[in-house]
Amino acid sequence: MSILDIKPGLLDITSENYGDISNTKIPVSYVCQQVVTLKENEVLFTLIIRSDTDLVLSENILITSDLLKAGSIHNIFEYHLIH
């Protein structure tokens, strides 16, 4: 399985927001000037993948904060880790 591209959704994500997609772990960072409020079933971004074999996606893709700790900055004085 390989990731071919990452397309924007609710987040206006571009290639400047993520590292080399040919790696098995891809660091992603997104900065937004306004609070993003999600509604049920809204898509943040879409992964375009290719696989030469049948597989179960939930067993092959894992989104974690192993490379970059998830957090939010509300102003220059407040940083909150997201767990």
Side-chain angles (χ1 to χ4, degrees):
M1 181 185 81
S2 58
I3 296 177
L4 303 177
D5 199 3
I6 302 175
K7 299 286 188 183
L10 184 64
L11 301 182
D12 188 24
I13 194 168
T14 69
S15 60
E16 294 178 3
N17 298 107
Y18 52 85
D20 183 1
I21 62 174
S22 67
N23 290 329
T24 57
K25 289 186 176 185
I26 304 168
V28 177
S29 178
Y30 183 78
V31 176
C32 181
Q33 298 300 321
Q34 298 175 349
V35 173
V36 176
T37 302
L38 303 175
K39 295 177 184 166
E40 189 173 339
N41 298 321
E42 285 191 300
V43 176
L44 294 176
F45 56 88
T46 301
L47 299 176
I48 308 299
I49 63 168
R50 179 183 65 216
S51 177
D52 297 328
T53 62
D54 290 339
L55 55 85
V56 177
L57 278 180
S58 62
E59 295 173 359
N60 289 276
I61 293 179
L62 179 63
I63 298 176
T64 72
S65 58
D66 286 352
L67 298 176
L68 299 170
K69 295 299 178 196
S72 67
I73 299 172
H74 297 281
N75 60 48
I76 61 171
F77 303 108
E78 292 181 48
Y79 178 79
H80 303 275
L81 285 176
I82 298 172
H83 303 281

